[in-house]
Amino acid sequence: MLKQLLLKGCLGVVICATGFGGFPAYSQAGEVIAQASSEMAAKDISQQELEKFAKAIADLRAIDENTQQRMIEAVQATGMSPEEFMEIGKQEDTQMNLSADKQMQFEEALEAVRELNKEDRKKKRVAVEEAGLEISRFNEIGRIVENNRDLQKQVVEILSR
């Protein structure tokens, strides 16, 4: 799980840094197609849905912040620093030579982080549903907003109220 979290973070950095690869001509054509389909799909999103989406985003941010703090506290409660926990997690495949105590600390912290992650996912589902959206619709709106600058601006405006 830790590896998945780290890999997703690394993948995001690679995608942002490379702009989806080294084929600018194809990237531009893809962007035009994506923007056109995004503009068409944007018409399917009502202002009320956009408001609900923004509310869910705000709630999800708060849940993330709370969960991150709780994860840090859970790791520290085992006697490890968050940095040490992450370093051991990154090195899992290479079999670091950990003392038995350090291995126990890591496993205890990892279990606590997994439990908090499960709880986090449940809270997020509830937050989206309480905002008035089904999960599938929330995800669909998210994909559309991600590709539509006008909708992004609207969401930012709603969030800043």
Side-chain angles (χ1 to χ4, degrees):
M1 175 201 267
L2 180 61
K3 287 185 225 173
Q4 289 175 333
L5 294 173
L6 294 173
L7 288 175
K8 285 180 184 175
C10 292
L11 179 61
V13 170
V14 169
I15 289 171
C16 289
T18 63
F20 292 103
F23 302 107
Y26 295 115
S27 294
Q28 289 173 348
E31 287 175 23
V32 170
I33 292 169
Q35 186 163 356
S37 65
S38 172
E39 288 171 6
M40 289 173 40
K43 293 176 185 173
D44 294 337
I45 300 173
S46 69
Q47 186 61 32
Q48 184 181 18
E49 279 185 312
L50 204 58
E51 298 273 345
K52 290 176 181 180
F53 177 79
K55 180 191 181 334
I57 291 293
D59 292 345
L60 296 178
R61 281 184 184 168
I63 292 168
D64 275 341
E65 288 174 16
N66 180 272
T67 300
Q68 286 176 353
Q69 185 59 42
R70 291 178 61 207
M71 285 180 175
I72 290 168
E73 291 167 3
V75 168
Q76 289 173 334
T78 67
M80 296 182 83
S81 71
E83 297 79 17
E84 183 180 26
F85 174 78
M86 293 299 289
E87 186 61 33
I88 293 171
K90 287 179 188 176
Q91 303 301 322
E92 230 176 294
D93 287 336
T94 59
Q95 296 298 323
M96 289 180 70
N97 292 325
L98 299 176
S99 68
D101 286 344
K102 193 54 75 178
Q103 183 67 36
M104 274 184 34
Q105 281 180 312
F106 176 75
E107 288 173 12
E108 184 181 335
L110 183 58
E111 184 58 33
V113 167
R114 284 181 177 150
E115 286 302 313
L116 288 168
N117 202 17
K118 279 185 202 174
E119 186 181 312
D120 179 76
R121 285 193 305 269
K122 288 177 188 174
K123 285 180 181 179
K124 286 180 177 179
R125 281 191 187 103
V126 169
V128 169
E129 291 167 354
E130 285 181 352
L133 293 171
E134 293 182 17
I135 303 297
S136 59
R137 183 62 177 156
F138 173 83
N139 289 333
E140 181 181 3
I141 293 170
R143 283 188 294 276
I144 294 167
V145 168
E146 184 177 30
N147 293 311
N148 186 302
R149 289 198 174 123
D150 291 334
L151 287 177
Q152 289 171 12
K153 288 177 187 176
Q154 288 180 45
V155 169
V156 169
E157 284 177 22
I158 294 167
L159 289 170
S160 64
R161 289 186 203 156

